[in-house]
Amino acid sequence: MKKGIFVIEIGTEELPYKQLKVISNELHINFIKELDKFNFIYKKIKNYYSSRRISLKIYNLKLKKHINETYLLNNFKIFNKYIVKINKNNYFNNIKKDNYKLIKYKKYIKEILAILVNKILHKIQKKTYMRWGNTNNRFIRPVHSLLVMLDKKIINIDIFNIKSSRSTFGHRFIGKKNIILKHADEYPEILFNKGKIIVEHKKRKEKIKNMIENKTNKINGKIKSENKLINEIAALTEWPIVLIGSFKKKYLYIPKEILIYIMKNLYKFIPVYNNNNILAPFFIFIINIEIKNYTKLIKEHEIVLCNRFKDVEFLINQDYKNSLEYHYLSLNNILFHNKLGTMLEKTQRIKNISLKVAKMINVDTINIKRAAILSKCDLLTRMVFEFPDMQGVIGMYHALKDGESKSIALSLKEQYYPTLFVKKVPSSRISLLLAMADKIDNLVGMIGINIYPKRGNDPFGLRRSAISIIKIIIHNKLLIDVKEIIRENKLLLNHYLFNVNVTNDVFNFLLKRMINLYNKEGHNKNYIHAIFCKNDKFFIDIDKKISAISYFYKSKTLNKLILTSKRIFKFLLKFNEKINKKIDTENLQNKYEILLVNNLYISKKKIKKLLQKKDYKNIIIELYFLNYIVENYLKNTMINDPIKIIRINRLTILKKILKLFSCICDLSLLNIN
């Protein structure tokens, strides 16, 4: 058997799949940190997790050769409260008598590992975790077993009111109930052989994928990328078995989004498609147990799914008896918010805001009016009542059934884009107008009654609404005055609002989200701050400026402009004198000054045209050429001339230069790279 193999396994009740990987990685990272602190070295660490256990295996674990007494004593004092059954005096004495060599320290490797494990397990007992029994122990779920071994020996610890042992447990129904490890290196293979447990998440996932491929090949089908769902299923199972079921073809006339939603979200089934990527009347499901006869189980799953499809068929037919517009006035019976009126009022605001934005970007308003009126009508359908997440999708199919145009119908679905799960932005002008109007109304309404997100708490999705607005504007390159839209929305909501600063608050809220987006994309905070200092009202301008500055960032071109800007800024700060509004051309004293002023006027005209085109890259290039003349001027001209009229004129020239240099952003705020 190999030496230096350490294993820890925490056996629990069923763990929430979303937290499995997180807590497994946390255990892994903490072990890496603590092993280093305790002067351990190792070859590699592998972490495992399944629905009822989190474990970790370390290979070739041993102590470093050089350890000093002070290090050992300090660590003992820090972690003394976690130590189990160790004689403190004997521990210190043995270290001292041995003249700080490793041989005596090795005798206590089990005790040292006990300290280390105790520290880590106490560290991951978070306040948000649950308590059970009569203790203050906390973990993500109640702990039932604790296996901690180094080679053949048990590392004795007592935590969660459980003493560590060399035993673990297999699959609840088909595995051995109590599995004893003689050596730590038997883990995890012994779980596979005796316990019917595939403890490694990656192997379970690969097994599921391979079995799905085998099953779908037999019916000439395939699945789309379902990585998230397969990850979830792999986390929920320990011995996955893949099965395939079918349903009647007649149900395929039901909107595919609804069929897919039911299969994936309600039952964790995986939809099957034919080779043309069209939904096929088959589904994949995964169970966590081996049985002799799967036919009956498949039939039961088919009945459950078909019964649900039958219910959907009934609800759709009932909804189609009335047009979508039939529900319009009934929206007055649904509250948007108890302080912000009804959904009918919101719909009317969406219409007005959509029309306002449409005028800004020259879009025809006839279809927008119709789309806005129908935008929230599906909230009163039986289908949305049954499947709230399907609002918009239901509206789209209902509108098509009523004979509405495809663009109007599509806008009813895409008004909610982008979402947490759908990253794409609306594909048509009508869609994006509805989406923007809806989300701006959410922001103005909620912030207008002083409802803001707090840390991780954002029940009304205001951050997501803000990010969606920004993405829609930038992706579609829309020249929209967002502040003007906010003001318009404020007027429509005015009788409900009591936050007098709502316009600025909403606009600043959007800007903060925008800054966060650029930071996440890896843009330098320094130049983001310099650009946002300009207080542009058009988001597309901000985006283009960031693109231009990032293009030249760390280049000589931009560095020279930054140096000159900082130098001029310092000059202007130094002289506390009133500067003229215009340059006095009659008081230009030397050829450098005359050349500079002439080129300043020429560059100003060029830059004015480039600003109209939003061509910020060429503006930087134009400024770079002007900068050469500015540098010569500063080198050969004394700004602090004793004659006041000349000095003031030169300061005026510098101010005009700085203003031109700052037409994109405040260059004096940037750092040299």
Side-chain angles (χ1 to χ4, degrees):
M1 282 282 186
K2 294 178 183 177
K3 287 187 177 181
I5 306 296
F6 173 81
V7 168
I8 177 170
E9 181 197 76
I10 306 166
T12 67
E13 291 181 12
E14 266 73 15
L15 293 157
Y17 81 91
K18 287 183 180 178
Q19 296 295 319
L20 264 174
K21 188 175 181 180
V22 174
I23 194 166
S24 178
N25 287 340
E26 190 178 353
L27 191 71
H28 190 164
I29 291 164
N30 275 299
F31 259 95
I32 290 171
K33 288 177 181 176
E34 296 304 326
L35 287 170
D36 183 58
K37 284 180 185 177
F38 278 89
N39 273 27
F40 280 102
I41 54 173
Y42 53 89
K43 188 176 181 181
K44 65 175 178 177
I45 298 181
K46 286 193 76 174
N47 55 329
Y48 309 93
Y49 58 89
S50 70
S51 60
R52 293 199 299 153
R53 70 198 73 227
I54 293 166
S55 52
L56 185 135
K57 185 174 181 179
I58 305 174
Y59 295 81
N60 291 6
L61 181 68
K62 56 185 177 182
L63 289 157
K64 291 179 184 177
K65 290 182 179 178
H66 303 290
I67 302 171
N68 61 58
E69 179 187 5
T70 305
Y71 177 84
L72 294 176
L73 295 176
N74 287 342
N75 274 286
F76 185 86
K77 289 171 185 175
I78 294 167
F79 306 120
N80 182 43
K81 62 179 177 179
Y82 300 123
I83 200 160
V84 178
K85 293 180 181 177
I86 180 169
N87 186 317
K88 178 177 176 181
N89 294 326
N90 190 38
Y91 176 70
F92 286 158
N93 290 338
N94 275 312
I95 294 168
K96 290 176 181 177
K97 286 177 185 175
D98 198 51
N99 198 24
Y100 320 147
K101 290 182 182 176
L102 187 64
I103 186 165
K104 293 293 181 184
Y105 188 60
K106 274 186 175 180
K107 283 188 177 183
Y108 293 96
I109 190 167
K110 283 173 61 183
E111 286 77 11
I112 294 162
L113 279 171
I115 298 169
L116 186 149
V117 172
N118 262 291
K119 181 179 186 295
I120 291 169
L121 293 184
H122 276 86
K123 193 174 182 179
I124 61 176
Q125 291 188 50
K126 298 178 182 176
K127 287 183 179 179
T128 52
Y129 287 172
M130 66 184 294
R131 288 168 50 191
W132 66 97
N134 297 320
T135 69
N136 286 320
N137 290 318
R138 293 176 181 270
F139 202 62
I140 194 164
R141 288 293 181 270
V143 176
H144 294 309
S145 71
L146 188 62
L147 182 150
V148 191
M149 289 182 68
L150 177 66
D151 294 334
K152 295 180 180 180
K153 298 174 182 177
I154 299 169
I155 304 298
N156 293 312
I157 65 171
D158 189 342
I159 193 168
F160 306 120
N161 265 15
I162 296 168
K163 289 184 178 180
S164 57
S165 68
R166 61 173 69 245
S167 68
T168 182
F169 55 93
H171 192 285
R172 183 170 285 160
F173 302 110
I174 56 174
K176 193 174 178 182
K177 296 293 181 283
N178 190 33
I179 300 168
I180 307 297
L181 274 72
K182 293 179 180 176
H183 194 286
D185 197 35
E186 294 176 337
Y187 196 92
E189 287 76 14
I190 196 169
L191 275 173
F192 182 87
N193 297 326
K194 293 185 178 181
K196 294 286 186 180
I197 301 286
I198 303 171
V199 76
E200 191 172 351
H201 179 83
K202 189 177 178 181
K203 285 185 179 178
R204 288 198 307 277
K205 190 176 171 182
E206 287 304 315
K207 182 185 177 184
I208 289 169
K209 283 184 174 179
N210 292 334
M211 291 173 80
I212 287 172
E213 190 175 352
N214 292 334
K215 293 285 183 183
T216 52
N217 284 342
K218 289 177 183 177
I219 57 167
N220 294 319
K222 63 180 181 180
I223 67 165
K224 290 187 178 179
S225 179
E226 297 290 356
N227 206 45
K228 186 179 177 183
L229 184 54
I230 291 171
N231 261 330
E232 181 180 343
I233 293 165
L236 292 169
T237 56
E238 291 188 312
W239 192 258
I241 303 293
V242 173
L243 302 171
I244 190 163
S246 63
F247 56 88
K248 293 176 183 178
K249 286 184 179 179
K250 71 171 187 173
Y251 292 124
L252 289 173
Y253 95 91
I254 295 171
K256 65 177 182 179
E257 290 93 339
I258 298 167
L259 297 178
I260 293 166
Y261 176 83
I262 289 169
M263 284 190 269
K264 289 172 63 173
N265 293 72
L266 270 59
Y267 298 114
K268 307 301 177 190
F269 296 167
I270 300 172
V272 178
Y273 301 81
N274 63 24
N275 291 324
N276 296 319
N277 287 324
I278 297 169
L279 191 66
F282 297 97
F283 62 94
I284 297 288
F285 66 99
I286 292 94
I287 60 171
N288 190 34
I289 189 171
E290 280 182 351
I291 55 176
K292 291 180 180 179
N293 185 3
Y294 295 109
T295 307
K296 184 181 177 184
L297 190 64
I298 292 169
K299 190 69 179 173
E300 287 171 352
H301 280 71
E302 288 174 345
I303 290 168
V304 168
L305 189 63
C306 286
N307 284 341
R308 176 61 71 151
F309 286 168
K310 192 175 180 179
D311 292 341
V312 168
E313 185 180 39
F314 171 78
L315 293 173
I316 288 174
N317 290 334
Q318 290 297 110
D319 284 338
Y320 284 171
K321 287 179 180 179
N322 296 309
S323 68
L324 198 58
E325 192 178 9
Y326 170 83
H327 301 293
Y328 178 66
L329 293 177
S330 298
L331 287 169
N332 208 37
N333 299 324
I334 302 176
L335 273 179
F336 166 52
H337 188 277
N338 61 354
K339 292 181 181 178
L340 295 170
T342 67
M343 287 305 298
L344 181 61
E345 291 173 288
K346 181 175 176 66
T347 303
Q348 289 165 348
R349 291 195 300 272
I350 288 171
K351 183 180 73 172
N352 290 332
I353 297 301
S354 299
L355 293 172
K356 177 81 175 177
V357 181
K359 288 177 184 176
M360 289 181 177
I361 58 175
N362 297 319
V363 177
D364 181 59
T365 58
I366 296 170
N367 285 337
I368 293 164
K369 284 181 183 178
R370 184 66 181 163
I373 287 167
L374 298 175
S375 62
K376 303 299 176 185
C377 289
D378 66 344
L379 296 177
L380 286 153
T381 61
R382 292 173 176 84
M383 278 295 292
V384 170
F385 184 80
E386 185 71 19
F387 305 107
D389 291 343
M390 287 283 98
Q391 65 186 74
V393 173
I394 305 295
M396 179 181 71
Y397 283 102
H398 204 141
L400 290 170
K401 179 73 169 54
D402 293 344
E404 302 288 348
S405 69
K406 287 184 179 178
S407 59
I408 288 174
L410 184 64
S411 71
L412 304 186
K413 174 186 174 182
E414 291 189 342
Q415 67 178 301
Y416 299 104
Y417 286 5
T419 67
L420 198 61
F421 307 107
V422 182
K423 302 302 179 187
K424 60 183 179 181
V425 297
S427 59
S428 73
R429 292 279 169 156
I430 301 173
S431 302
L432 68 87
L433 287 169
L434 276 190
M436 280 189 60
D438 184 25
K439 292 167 176 62
I440 285 174
D441 187 68
N442 290 343
L443 289 173
V444 175
M446 295 303 167
I447 292 175
I449 57 173
N450 288 330
I451 292 177
Y452 295 87
K454 294 179 181 177
R455 295 183 182 177
N457 187 22
D458 188 11
F460 296 101
L462 300 185
R463 292 191 189 99
R464 196 157 60 246
S465 290
I467 290 166
S468 298
I469 292 165
I470 293 160
K471 286 183 176 178
I472 289 167
I473 291 171
I474 291 171
H475 182 268
N476 293 282
K477 298 180 171 57
L478 301 175
L479 196 64
I480 291 173
D481 186 343
V482 178
K483 213 164 193 177
E484 181 60 31
I485 303 167
I486 295 167
R487 286 193 199 100
E488 183 74 20
N489 211 140
K490 179 193 170 186
L491 291 174
L492 296 170
L493 270 162
N494 210 30
H495 57 293
Y496 286 120
L497 308 182
F498 46 80
N499 178 358
V500 293
N501 297 316
V502 62
T503 302
N504 288 329
D505 286 355
V506 172
F507 190 72
N508 291 333
F509 184 81
L510 285 163
L511 289 180
K512 283 178 184 177
R513 302 287 81 70
M514 201 171 183
I515 290 168
N516 290 341
L517 275 176
Y518 287 121
N519 284 337
K520 284 180 181 178
E521 287 174 7
H523 293 282
N524 187 287
K525 289 181 181 180
N526 188 28
Y527 69 72
I528 290 172
H529 175 63
I531 289 166
F532 274 81
C533 278
K534 294 294 289 180
N535 292 319
D536 292 282
K537 61 181 180 178
F538 297 113
F539 288 176
I540 189 62
D541 279 0
I542 294 171
D543 186 67
K544 285 181 177 179
K545 286 178 180 181
I546 283 176
S547 176
I549 295 293
S550 63
Y551 181 81
F552 288 104
Y553 205 64
K554 296 185 180 179
S555 70
K556 290 181 180 178
T557 305
L558 195 63
N559 281 343
K560 283 183 175 293
L561 294 178
I562 293 166
L563 274 170
T564 303
S565 294
K566 286 180 178 293
R567 189 177 176 188
I568 292 171
F569 183 73
K570 286 176 182 177
F571 269 125
L572 293 171
L573 278 179
K574 188 176 179 182
F575 299 100
N576 189 21
E577 294 180 283
K578 190 176 180 181
I579 297 171
N580 299 328
K581 290 183 178 179
K582 291 183 180 180
I583 297 168
D584 184 358
T585 52
E586 292 181 2
N587 274 312
L588 301 178
Q589 300 298 308
N590 58 42
K591 63 179 182 179
Y592 301 106
E593 203 159 57
I594 294 165
L595 180 67
L596 173 60
V597 171
N598 288 336
N599 278 278
L600 183 61
Y601 287 133
I602 293 166
S603 293
K604 193 175 179 180
K605 286 179 182 178
K606 286 182 182 179
I607 288 169
K608 189 177 180 180
K609 290 178 181 178
L610 291 169
L611 280 169
Q612 289 172 348
K613 296 177 183 177
K614 316 293 182 189
D615 189 353
Y616 298 116
K617 286 183 181 177
N618 278 321
I619 288 172
I620 292 171
I621 292 167
E622 179 63 31
L623 289 173
Y624 178 71
F625 291 133
L626 178 64
N627 186 68
Y628 176 75
I629 299 168
V630 175
E631 284 178 335
N632 276 339
Y633 170 71
L634 293 171
K635 188 188 290 185
N636 295 285
T637 306
M638 185 175 71
I639 304 298
N640 191 16
D641 195 280
I643 302 170
K644 185 176 180 180
I645 193 168
I646 296 172
R647 184 172 69 251
I648 295 296
N649 198 42
R650 286 175 178 172
L651 289 172
T652 304
I653 292 168
L654 292 185
K655 189 172 182 180
K656 296 290 182 184
I657 293 166
L658 187 63
K659 186 179 178 182
L660 192 63
F661 273 36
S662 301
C663 63
I664 296 176
C665 70
D666 191 343
L667 290 172
S668 64
L669 296 175
L670 294 178
N671 295 325
I672 310 276
N673 285 282

